[in-house]
Amino acid sequence: MDVTSLLPLTTRRLSLRLFTPGDADDLYAYQSLPSVARYLYRPAHTRERSEQVAAERAAHSVWCADGDKLALAVCRRGEPGVLGEVTLTLANARAAQAEIGWTLDPRHQGHGYATEAAKALAGFAFDRLGVHRLYARLDVENTGSVRVCERLGMRREAHLVENDLDGDRWGSEYIYAALAADIGGQAGS
């Protein structure tokens, strides 16, 4: 399914839309920060990598096979600029399971944008894309994302100890999840 016709998603304050190649500067502004990359278990983006990622995201709006990823730019309604992103990855098409994620420019954290955007994307996943189970994987030290998961009504299902290596640092992860029956229908409200 091509989701282009179903977008943008809007909330009271935000618009969630497909990225465009022109979003590379905004993407680079936060994806180049070591403090952001730390929780993503990858190096900070270079300018060139941000351009590549913006172009790739702009070109991908299909949701049907394992590994398909929908990445949406989080913007204030009626204003230019990207505050961050929310992502949905189809982990298992047959079992209708998807991973949700969010990354916000640190300059825009603390205003509830991540929760608002993730709630809208969760509602979209359950109500429009037919997802049965939605999960999030996050570094245990990422307390902001822990709070987002809990505000969404997700339950902590696992604590993986030193399961991933970020450069020289072993990271531990929490896995949070919710079923459509748990928060579907109310997620987007």
Side-chain angles (χ1 to χ4, degrees):
M1 161 192 335
D2 187 331
V3 298
T4 305
S5 65
L6 304 175
L7 300 172
L9 306 179
T10 57
T11 69
R12 185 177 60 82
R13 301 182 298 167
L14 303 174
S15 176
L16 312 179
R17 60 164 175 78
L18 289 173
F19 275 88
T20 68
D23 292 326
D25 288 338
D26 290 338
L27 190 63
Y28 178 67
Y30 63 91
Q31 288 285 358
S32 65
L33 301 172
S35 63
V36 170
R38 173 178 184 230
Y39 293 128
L40 301 175
Y41 292 94
R42 58 144 178 83
H45 279 184
T46 62
R47 175 78 173 110
E48 295 76 23
R49 180 67 181 139
S50 291
E51 289 172 0
Q52 180 184 18
V53 168
E56 288 170 0
R57 290 177 177 179
H60 193 83
S61 60
V62 175
W63 181 266
C64 64
D66 291 1
D68 281 348
K69 184 173 184 173
L70 180 62
L72 302 178
V74 176
C75 308
R76 282 190 199 99
R77 285 180 72 171
E79 295 182 25
V82 175
L83 309 178
E85 62 199 70
V86 287
T87 60
L88 198 60
T89 304
L90 187 53
N92 186 318
R94 183 179 169 280
Q97 297 202 31
E99 180 178 359
I100 190 170
W102 46 84
T103 306
L104 212 61
D105 184 323
R107 296 174 297 173
H108 302 291
Q109 293 175 357
H111 303 286
Y113 295 136
T115 301
E116 189 173 331
K119 187 176 184 180
L121 186 60
F124 180 72
F126 289 132
D127 300 338
R128 301 299 300 267
L129 299 179
V131 168
H132 170 71
R133 180 175 177 273
L134 192 63
Y135 69 92
R137 296 176 14 223
L138 47 129
D139 189 292
V140 299
E141 294 179 10
N142 189 346
T143 57
S145 284
V146 167
R147 286 191 300 271
V148 171
C149 288
E150 292 171 352
R151 285 185 197 118
L152 291 176
M154 300 175 90
R155 72 187 150 274
R156 187 182 303 171
E157 292 187 338
H159 179 180
L160 308 175
V161 179
E162 294 187 3
N163 68 306
D164 209 342
L165 190 59
D166 177 20
D168 295 329
R169 178 185 77 93
W170 281 103
S172 297
E173 287 183 320
Y174 288 140
I175 297 178
Y176 279 82
L179 300 175
D182 296 332
I183 61 174
Q186 65 175 333
S189 56

